[in-house]
Amino acid sequence: MGQFFDFMSACHKHFLQVLLVQMLITTVSTIFPHCPPMDKNVMDAEVLFICHDAGESLGLLPVSTALYNATTGSNGPKQVAVLALGNPASTIFASNPFSMELSSFGINVTVIDRTVRNQTLPAADAAKIVECMGSVRVVVVGMVYTMQAQLAAAFAAHGRKRGRKISVIGFDDGFSDFDPGSMLGGFVTGSILANTSASHDRSSPVVSLVFVPSQFIANQITTFAITHGLNVSARVTGSPTIDTWRAAAADVAAVRRNRTAIYGDISNARPAVLYAGGYGSGYPESLRLFCQLVRATADTVSFSFSPHPGLPSHLERNLFETMNVSAYIRWLPNGTNTAVGVAASNATLSQDSTCNVQSLYIGKPSAYIQPKGTSNTPSYFTAAGLIPVMDNMSDTHAVMSAFSREDWQVNASSLVNASVPLDATALMVGAIKSLLREATANRSSRNSMTSSTAHSSSVPVHDTAVVGTTWHASIARETRPQKHTAAVSPVPNSTTRGRSTKGSKPTGTHGTTTAASGVSSSTAHVIVHTTTAAPPSPAKSSVFDIALASVTGGLMLCLCMYFVVYVCCNRYGCPPRIPRANLSYDSEGANESRRGEYEDNDDEPLLGDL
């Protein structure tokens, strides 16, 4: 115990030294976080994809692969990485050399895949990922999980703190109408982080740009953002998954082999229908109505089932057994992509899967099975009648008869007005490369910026791609909320026409279609000029933050030491104050001589006597 008091007394005497050591340790650990050994190419990535769900993972797989292959070129990113947050993303990206998981950072957290996806990481783990991925300039994030929003916001905040911009792009892999109350809407409004500990302004968007599959969704997001003063853009890129599906359908020999593998040796004249599995509210009811359809038409139609990636199939197997239809439903072989199954079939059914839309673009009709009383997701395709909705047995018979009359084909011209570009992978890769070039240009010109530029009151807000039309609009907004008015003028050298918009809903005319894709695409810009002061510049004093953390850590350490001394003094008694004394030893070290007088009573015990 005497040695312990000696140590604590030394700490008391050398308080400043202890504080400086603590500051040094904290500073070093802050600047150089402990990142586990990983592939340097992944750690140096400039573009990071954060995926979880099957739809977004399958959509971003060709985009990330194309960017990864472009790293060898002069105009691509230096490196690309994918952070797969649990299954099904982990399985989909398992063979990619540029993918990683939370365990790659030494984070032992199991990502739970449920219909309610509000799981988040501890703040220290999120900060560790951001610090270890210090070269990231562009983050492309799916919008189906709160953890994705947490990490996206952490990267954006990290960029602001370091005085550089990190672009955060949200990826909408669905075709449903924009719903501000949905999880995707939470990314746009920032409300998805309202009940979390993430250091993010809950009234600010998590993403600054959203890749959307169609013009109608872009218009809905743009209108909402303008109306609510949100700094969010929407860009029409189409669906990269459609590119994959079209490639699968183009291999005629493979389609024939897959049809035989799935349905057996059936006649080409016999229609085959695939049901794409799902999850969530209303899904069991949809399955039951599907089973009724199977029982009623099994003599003339063949059926198959494709389970949702990454989810167990106990519900479906039990239900098929209970309703006595297991013998009539073929399951897709393990590892078979749904695109392959649909290409080998004549039509697609589901509760509300994006597979239905993708099916249309390879010429296969599709329908939703949504019994009355269950939730349904509105979209352009249902409103236009391109995807009929069946809610009873009478509807199912009518829809199947309509498919048969159309010879189980889709009229391609009916899809033109859907405004979905068919070169999504190239459009998204081009947009990401453009943001990288912008980030590089900003870094090189940061030192040459004039002070007048820093106080500019013109802030670009919306960058909405309009299919077939390029136009510019200027919307005046005063300090008080009021209705927006827009003046639209054609862009010089544009081959299409623009038209004025009324109120706060920007629209664009559909231009001429191209022979290759049936849809042409270009970009529109909406600039909001405001009379209010420019937003505050990002904080650049990271040294101050580090120093503050260091001082705080040192003070906490010292307080803990004093607390230990206090407790020990109360329990064992306090040691005497150490006097100023000169101690010397004889040559043999056996006898100790003392010089100087103690200020305390000589009869008090020495520290070594305790």
Side-chain angles (χ1 to χ4, degrees):
M1 182 56 65
Q3 293 178 347
F4 171 76
F5 279 121
D6 289 344
F7 170 75
M8 297 305 299
S9 300
C11 291
H12 172 76
K13 290 182 61 179
H14 302 286
F15 169 78
L16 289 179
Q17 291 90 326
V18 173
L19 180 60
L20 288 175
V21 171
Q22 172 64 21
M23 290 176 61
L24 179 61
I25 295 174
T26 306
T27 302
V28 171
S29 62
T30 303
I31 299 178
F32 304 104
H34 175 64
C35 299
M38 296 172 61
D39 187 347
K40 188 177 185 300
N41 292 335
V42 175
M43 297 292 288
D44 293 341
E46 290 186 317
V47 180
L48 175 65
F49 295 85
I50 305 177
C51 304
H52 169 73
D53 197 13
E56 66 192 22
S57 298
L58 292 172
L60 293 175
L61 178 61
V63 178
S64 58
T65 302
L67 275 172
Y68 178 77
N69 294 334
T71 56
T72 56
S74 59
N75 62 342
K78 292 181 179 179
Q79 300 296 340
V80 175
V82 173
L83 176 57
L85 299 178
N87 277 320
S90 297
T91 301
I92 293 173
F93 287 99
S95 61
N96 291 67
F98 51 89
S99 66
M100 54 189 173
E101 302 181 33
L102 293 177
S103 58
S104 305
F105 297 90
I107 299 174
N108 297 318
V109 173
T110 301
V111 180
I112 303 173
D113 183 52
R114 294 289 186 269
T115 54
V116 179
R117 298 168 173 172
N118 54 10
Q119 182 182 2
T120 58
L121 290 172
D125 289 342
K128 183 178 184 179
I129 294 173
V130 172
E131 291 288 347
C132 291
M133 302 291 294
S135 300
V136 169
R137 295 292 180 269
V138 177
V139 177
V140 183
V141 60
M143 297 187 289
V144 299
Y145 213 115
T146 304
M147 190 182 298
Q148 293 174 307
Q150 176 194 20
L151 291 174
F155 272 102
H158 179 76
R160 288 191 297 269
K161 185 177 292 187
R162 297 297 185 267
R164 57 182 173 83
K165 179 182 179 182
I166 296 180
S167 300
V168 179
I169 306 172
F171 173 56
D172 178 14
D173 68 291
F175 292 85
S176 303
D177 289 349
F178 173 70
D179 178 10
S182 66
M183 185 159 284
L184 185 152
F187 276 77
V188 173
T189 62
S191 62
I192 190 172
L193 296 176
N195 297 321
T196 69
S197 60
S199 56
H200 176 75
D201 183 359
R202 307 308 194 264
S203 62
S204 299
V206 175
V207 296
S208 57
L209 174 65
V210 183
F211 286 161
V212 296
S214 74
Q215 180 57 43
F216 297 95
I217 300 175
N219 287 347
Q220 292 166 354
I221 293 177
T222 301
T223 300
F224 181 83
I226 292 176
T227 303
H228 294 80
L230 299 173
N231 189 7
V232 180
S233 308
R235 182 177 299 232
V236 180
T237 58
S239 171
T241 313
I242 292 179
D243 299 348
T244 305
W245 283 53
R246 286 162 62 86
D251 191 342
V252 178
V255 168
R256 290 174 180 169
R257 291 194 304 270
N258 292 326
R259 184 178 177 88
T260 302
I262 296 171
Y263 295 102
D265 190 15
I266 64 173
S267 169
N268 289 333
R270 183 183 175 95
V273 176
L274 179 143
Y275 185 99
Y279 56 87
S281 176
Y283 177 58
E285 292 79 3
S286 176
L287 272 180
R288 290 190 184 94
L289 187 53
F290 168 66
C291 291
Q292 295 177 31
L293 173 64
V294 172
R295 284 191 303 192
T297 60
D299 293 338
T300 57
V301 180
S302 295
F303 292 93
S304 66
F305 177 78
S306 174
H308 191 280
L311 295 180
S313 304
H314 308 305
L315 169 67
E316 293 87 351
R317 293 189 184 276
N318 292 336
L319 189 59
F320 293 166
E321 288 285 345
T322 302
M323 299 195 69
N324 298 318
V325 295
S326 296
Y328 306 110
I329 301 176
R330 301 290 190 97
W331 287 64
L332 261 62
N334 291 335
T336 303
N337 192 299
T338 304
V340 173
V342 173
S345 306
N346 297 99
T348 306
L349 304 177
S350 77
Q351 180 195 9
D352 58 358
S353 172
T354 56
C355 293
N356 290 66
V357 176
Q358 294 150 354
S359 177
L360 298 179
Y361 283 90
I362 60 173
K364 311 291 183 177
S366 66
Y368 291 140
I369 299 181
Q370 298 174 347
K372 290 181 179 180
T374 62
S375 59
N376 60 76
T377 307
S379 70
Y380 167 80
F381 293 92
T382 55
L386 296 173
I387 300 180
V389 178
M390 307 181 294
D391 62 11
N392 56 60
M393 278 299 296
S394 177
D395 285 347
T396 61
H397 288 298
V399 169
M400 296 291 281
S401 298
F403 288 169
S404 179
R405 287 194 302 270
E406 295 294 331
D407 197 23
W408 304 89
Q409 296 292 323
V410 174
N411 185 356
S413 62
S414 64
L415 301 175
V416 173
N417 290 334
S419 305
V420 178
L422 301 183
D423 51 351
T425 300
L427 289 174
M428 291 177 63
V429 168
I432 294 172
K433 286 183 177 180
S434 177
L435 288 173
L436 283 175
R437 289 193 295 269
E438 178 184 336
T440 302
N442 288 341
R443 288 200 304 270
S444 61
S445 63
R446 186 176 298 145
N447 294 332
S448 61
M449 292 177 62
T450 60
S451 59
S452 59
T453 304
H455 297 285
S456 172
S457 62
S458 178
V459 183
V461 173
H462 298 284
D463 181 10
T464 307
V466 178
V467 176
T469 307
T470 304
W471 50 280
H472 290 263
S474 177
I475 300 177
R477 183 178 66 177
E478 296 186 3
T479 54
R480 291 183 298 177
Q482 62 178 8
K483 292 183 178 180
H484 301 287
T485 58
V488 182
S489 59
V491 178
N493 300 326
S494 176
T495 59
T496 56
R497 298 193 310 273
R499 70 183 181 188
S500 61
T501 61
K502 296 181 181 180
S504 61
K505 185 176 182 179
T507 59
T509 58
H510 300 295
T512 57
T513 60
T514 62
S517 64
V519 183
S520 61
S521 62
S522 52
T523 304
H525 305 271
V526 181
I527 309 299
V528 175
H529 300 279
T530 175
T531 58
T532 58
S537 58
K540 297 182 180 180
S541 105
S542 58
V543 174
F544 172 78
D545 296 336
I546 295 174
L548 180 62
S550 302
V551 172
T552 303
L555 291 176
M556 291 299 297
L557 177 63
C558 291
L559 286 175
C560 291
M561 298 170 94
Y562 274 108
F563 176 76
V564 171
V565 171
Y566 175 78
V567 172
C568 292
C569 282
N570 285 338
R571 183 168 182 177
Y572 301 105
C574 295
R577 185 172 50 183
I578 298 178
R580 293 179 177 272
N582 293 322
L583 302 178
S584 64
Y585 296 86
D586 58 21
S587 57
E588 296 180 356
N591 299 318
E592 182 183 56
S593 62
R594 305 176 182 177
R595 292 193 299 269
E597 295 181 355
Y598 291 100
E599 296 178 3
D600 296 333
N601 193 330
D602 289 341
D603 294 332
E604 292 183 356
L606 299 176
L607 287 176
D609 298 330
L610 292 177

